[in-house]
Amino acid sequence: MFSNLALAYIFLYLCAGLIAVGIGLLITMKTTHNSKERKKEEYANKHKDYFVYVQANLTGNEKLQLPPGKLTKIEEEVIMDRLIVIHDQIKGEHAAKLRDIARESGLIAKQMKQLDSISGSKTIEAAYRLGGIRGSEATTALLQVLKEEKKVAHAVIYARAVAKCAERPAELKEMLRYLLDKGKPVYELAADILMETSLTPSNLLQELLESDHYNDVKVGLVASYAYASPEVMPAVIRLFRSKDETIRTDAIKLYLSRGPVLKDQTMKELMRDSNPEVRTAMANALGSIHTEDSIQLLQKGLSDVDMLVRNQSAESLAGLGVRGFEVLCETAATASGMAREAALAYTERAMATADGQEEVEKMMTLNKKKLIYQRYFGASPKEKQTRRMSEVIGGDFTA
């Protein structure tokens, strides 16, 4: 019994000791961090005149120099971080002057050595600085760090640094493969990272869209939503024939989102497509095409088996002015089942959103819609509601 009690005391003492050591380490780390931050602030104030000198001489022919004297490691970090801030605000030859001073003074080389640090935080800091200054000589080393990284959150930081430093499309493709091989389909994030590059986006996107790798094409399509120049559209159209249904669907949706000029036959084929996402995208695109053919296709879309297609068709009709509204009323009054439900819901919504407008043209449109509504249903939604209240409460509220 006494031996068990003694062991219990020893265990408690060990736990208390470990807790004390842990608290001591936390206090030490906090103190060290605060001390480093104070020093950074001191050095930032010390070199204010130097940063003014850098900005004043960006436009001249004179090469930039580091401050005279030996700099501490923290001073170098403060100076490089400030150069990165300035670099983000300028482009062209002025930015090149900042890269030159970081390169010739050995700041880039020191950050590249830090990539091999056993401390993950130091490696991340180095990657951030190398990407911020766009040190192209660090691209290969950054790719290697990205390849070996297991954590997706850290991989994203290294991938962004690679995108900023890369000078060849092949390096960006390699970056994408390493990033997407981490097991998570972060296509939107990868596309955002890709746009950090200094390379011409249209050439890069075209290469991705024409790639044999699924991930390249997927990222290329996502990135094209933000940067869809006319040069990449032929590559997007070729993907309509892709055997992969996801790629094909995304390509069609991207193409339709650009507001293209569509032939009547093309519109009919896409509204009959087997994929409801394609039909929904086509119904959305038809909302900006004010022709009788587009209105008829949308009216057929109200009977689609897919709810999203029906709702999008109704919404597009509601946005096509008086003629579209009339088709909604006609369908709501004469059709049955799901087509009637979709049409009726958007008919009443169109009346509600138009109500209360003060502009003359909108008031005229509203009056036309009221007349059309009354032709099919006998009274406006507001009048029907007033009559129902009158019946329930008693009295005449129509005046």
Side-chain angles (χ1 to χ4, degrees):
M1 176 179 176
F2 291 105
S3 60
N4 291 337
L5 186 60
L7 286 173
Y9 277 120
I10 293 172
F11 177 75
L12 289 174
Y13 290 143
L14 285 173
C15 289
L18 289 172
I19 291 172
V21 170
I23 293 172
L25 286 173
L26 287 174
I27 293 173
T28 302
M29 290 170 62
K30 182 67 175 177
T31 303
T32 303
H33 173 76
N34 291 341
S35 176
K36 185 176 181 179
E37 291 301 312
R38 282 196 299 271
K39 287 183 179 179
K40 282 186 175 183
E41 189 174 348
E42 290 173 6
Y43 288 135
N45 290 326
K46 174 184 175 181
H47 294 295
K48 274 185 178 179
D49 292 340
Y50 172 72
F51 300 136
V52 173
Y53 150 78
V54 169
Q55 291 178 300
N57 288 275
L58 283 174
T59 56
N61 296 323
E62 178 187 351
K63 278 191 173 184
L64 296 174
Q65 303 291 333
L66 285 181
K70 186 174 177 58
L71 301 175
T72 66
K73 183 179 178 181
I74 297 180
E75 275 184 293
E76 290 179 346
E77 290 177 358
V78 168
I79 289 172
M80 192 163 186
D81 289 344
R82 183 57 184 169
L83 293 180
I84 290 171
V85 171
I86 298 173
H87 186 285
D88 288 341
Q89 300 169 352
I90 58 178
K91 295 181 179 179
E93 60 182 15
H94 305 320
K97 289 188 73 171
L98 294 177
R99 290 195 294 274
D100 288 341
I101 185 177
R103 183 175 293 116
E104 293 170 6
S105 63
L107 293 180
I108 289 180
K110 289 179 180 178
Q111 294 300 319
M112 288 178 65
K113 286 183 180 178
Q114 193 169 307
L115 286 176
D116 296 327
S117 173
I118 59 174
S119 170
S121 61
K122 289 186 177 180
T123 305
I124 289 173
E125 287 179 4
Y128 162 76
R129 292 192 177 104
L130 290 168
I133 206 66
R134 296 186 183 267
S136 56
E137 59 266 52
T139 305
T140 302
L142 286 167
L143 280 169
Q144 186 61 34
V145 174
L146 172 60
K147 182 180 180 181
E148 296 173 357
E149 180 58 54
K150 303 298 182 186
K151 297 179 180 179
V152 176
H154 292 177
V156 167
I157 297 172
Y158 301 139
R160 197 175 294 277
V162 172
K164 291 181 177 182
C165 295
E167 292 186 328
R168 296 182 294 112
E171 294 170 335
L172 292 170
K173 289 182 180 180
E174 191 175 356
M175 176 272 291
L176 287 175
R177 280 193 276 279
Y178 290 156
L179 176 61
L180 295 172
D181 282 347
K182 303 302 177 186
K184 291 189 177 181
V186 286
Y187 299 117
E188 288 78 10
L189 185 56
D192 178 65
I193 291 171
L194 194 66
M195 290 296 100
E196 296 276 5
T197 182
S198 57
L199 299 177
T200 305
S202 58
N203 295 338
L204 174 61
L205 292 178
Q206 192 164 347
E207 286 198 29
L208 290 174
L209 294 171
E210 293 175 349
S211 172
D212 295 329
H213 294 274
Y214 174 88
N215 285 339
D216 287 351
V217 178
K218 184 70 176 178
V219 173
L221 286 170
V222 174
S224 294
Y225 274 96
Y227 186 92
S229 63
E231 291 88 348
V232 305
M233 282 298 110
V236 172
I237 293 172
R238 284 193 290 272
L239 291 174
F240 290 5
R241 301 188 297 272
S242 174
K243 295 180 181 179
D244 187 282
E245 186 65 19
T246 301
I247 293 296
R248 174 182 173 275
T249 302
D250 287 350
I252 294 174
K253 289 166 65 177
L254 169 62
Y255 182 71
L256 292 176
S257 71
R258 299 297 102 181
V261 178
L262 298 169
K263 296 180 180 179
D264 291 344
Q265 186 59 33
T266 303
M267 293 190 293
K268 291 177 182 178
E269 289 175 358
L270 293 178
M271 279 302 286
R272 292 195 302 263
D273 195 273
S274 60
N275 192 319
E277 289 187 48
V278 172
R279 299 198 301 276
T280 302
M282 187 66 249
N284 181 54
L286 288 172
S288 59
I289 303 175
H290 294 255
T291 66
E292 192 61 31
D293 286 339
S294 67
I295 289 175
Q296 289 178 5
L297 287 172
L298 288 170
Q299 188 173 19
K300 291 180 180 178
L302 293 173
S303 302
D304 197 280
V305 295
D306 187 86
M307 182 183 68
L308 291 178
V309 180
R310 295 195 302 273
N311 288 344
Q312 184 59 64
S313 297
E315 184 175 338
S316 292
L317 282 169
L320 287 175
V322 174
R323 176 59 183 139
F325 180 77
E326 184 177 6
V327 171
L328 281 175
C329 290
E330 179 187 343
T331 305
T334 61
S336 60
M338 296 180 293
R340 180 181 182 279
E341 290 178 8
L344 187 60
Y346 279 85
T347 297
E348 296 185 352
R349 185 179 302 180
M351 290 290 289
T353 54
D355 202 6
Q357 301 292 341
E358 296 181 359
E359 294 88 342
V360 175
E361 290 185 4
K362 290 183 178 180
M363 287 297 295
M364 291 175 63
T365 301
L366 174 60
N367 290 332
K368 290 178 182 179
K369 287 183 177 181
K370 283 183 177 179
L371 290 173
I372 293 171
Y373 191 94
Q374 289 171 359
R375 187 198 316 160
Y376 285 98
F377 304 105
S380 70
K382 183 177 288 187
E383 290 170 345
K384 287 183 178 181
Q385 184 179 7
T386 303
R387 288 178 183 176
R388 284 195 295 266
M389 290 176 63
S390 175
E391 292 172 359
V392 172
I393 300 174
D396 186 3
F397 294 88
T398 59

